[in-house]
Amino acid sequence: MSDESVTAWLFFLLKVYLDGTVLPGIDLPGPRSEHCIIDLNGKPYITGGNIGPGKQTSIVLTTKNGSDDFEDLLDMNFPRSNHGCGWMYSEAHAGHPLLVVTGGITYRQQS
């Protein structure tokens, strides 16, 4: 069985609510799997994942100023998939939020 046959490719964001409701969101710029998404102040931030069979990425995306168009942010240090992500406020950065990415698989190795 190939990796592609067991991978679920997403083509759009899903909005998942605490009551269990799931609704489609905006279209992604391309298919993606095994990535991490967080919402910070109403904007989605998408980190890493796979953008094709065996093609990991280190790209970080978000939407442009309230539109449905995506823009690239600074890349992560390493491509990774199956990772966790979140955010925290940093006193060392004047109280600004920082995106935190950890764990996952990098180049088919555990990180």
Side-chain angles (χ1 to χ4, degrees), residues 36-78:
C36 189
I37 304 173
I38 63 166
D39 178 276
L40 177 60
N41 300 324
K43 285 181 70 168
Y45 289 81
I46 304 168
T47 62
N50 296 313
I51 55 174
K55 293 175 67 178
Q56 283 184 320
T57 184
S58 59
I59 293 173
V60 179
L61 301 169
T62 191
T63 52
K64 293 181 188 176
N65 298 326
S67 75
D68 289 351
D69 296 325
F70 283 91
E71 64 180 335
D72 292 348
L73 300 176
L74 292 175
D75 286 359
M76 297 183 293
N77 291 336
F78 304 100

Side-chain angles (χ1 to χ4, degrees), residues 54 56 58 77-81 104-111:
Q56 283 184 320
S58 59
N77 291 336
F78 304 100
R80 64 178 69 216
S81 57
I105 299 171
T106 300
Y107 296 118
R108 305 259 185 241
Q109 301 293 318
Q110 292 292 337
S111 63

